[in-house]
Amino acid sequence: MPAGAAGSARVVEGEMHIGRFDAAVAEAHGYEIRTSPDGTQYSVRKGAPADAVPMNEVDGTCGRSWVWEDGIGNASVVLRTGFHVRRDVVARSWRVQLNDDGGTSTQQFSGGSSGPYWEEIRVVPGLTRGTGYAVVRSNGSNFAILTDGAVCFSGGPSAKTTIY
């Protein structure tokens, strides 16, 4: 936080979880989707032995997501959001909902392929002074599709700051 800022920034990070698999993406990147006897799907490299299962990936998380919102004066905030997942990304859909005393707006961050780490920082001007709240919703609209076909959804991180 810059010197002289209001000092009220709060950040929450959240886990990302596998919501489903995209078999076509997995196939295109050398993976196949298998189903365990209990019905849980998982992804392995093509040609892996029949008993191969990923370590801690069937029921585990696939990464972390975050959002930071920091009031910088002039009715503006610096918004920083991103994720770190377990494999390279072929596509993503990412939106941060901003709430201030004047209403709600959305910042869109969708894009194509990247490595397993993605982050974007932008200045958002023209907000209403007072309390600011940013959230990456966990409603299924924020996700990354990994090269193994896993579709990883954000766990809903949020941040709060003072807009001045």
Side-chain angles (χ1 to χ4, degrees):
M1 179 176 299
S8 64
R10 181 181 66 87
V11 179
V12 176
E13 289 190 10
E15 296 177 350
M16 292 184 73
H17 62 278
I18 298 171
R20 60 183 167 84
F21 284 90
D22 186 317
V25 170
E27 172 78 19
H29 291 88
Y31 292 87
E32 62 181 287
I33 308 305
R34 294 182 180 170
T35 304
S36 67
D38 70 0
T40 304
Q41 287 190 316
Y42 60 96
S43 178
V44 295
R45 283 271 183 204
K46 286 182 190 173
D51 61 351
V53 294
M55 290 185 0
N56 260 351
E57 293 179 4
V58 173
D59 295 318
T61 60
C62 58
R64 299 201 63 71
S65 61
W66 58 85
V67 64
W68 295 69
E69 181 184 36
D70 192 10
I72 58 172
N74 223 15
S76 301
V77 298
V78 170
L79 188 62
R80 184 177 129 208
T81 190
F83 55 76
H84 189 191
V85 291
R86 61 188 177 83
R87 300 228 191 281
D88 287 350
V89 173
V90 294
R92 70 178 177 274
S93 176
W94 209 257
R95 296 171 189 86
V96 177
Q97 181 179 314
L98 295 178
N99 301 295
D100 62 19
D101 288 347
T104 300
S105 62
T106 301
Q107 296 291 310
Q108 179 74 31
F109 295 90
S110 295
S113 62
S114 67
Y117 179 87
W118 167 78
E119 181 176 68
E120 192 167 326
I121 300 169
R122 68 172 63 154
V123 173
V124 181
L127 300 172
T128 302
R129 287 175 170 82
T131 301
Y133 180 73
V135 63
V136 178
R137 296 273 176 216
S138 60
N139 61 3
S141 64
N142 296 295
F143 59 87
I145 302 174
L146 310 187
T147 55
D148 68 354
V151 181
C152 295
F153 293 92
S154 172
S158 62
K160 185 177 179 181
T161 193
T162 299
I163 302 168
Y164 60 99

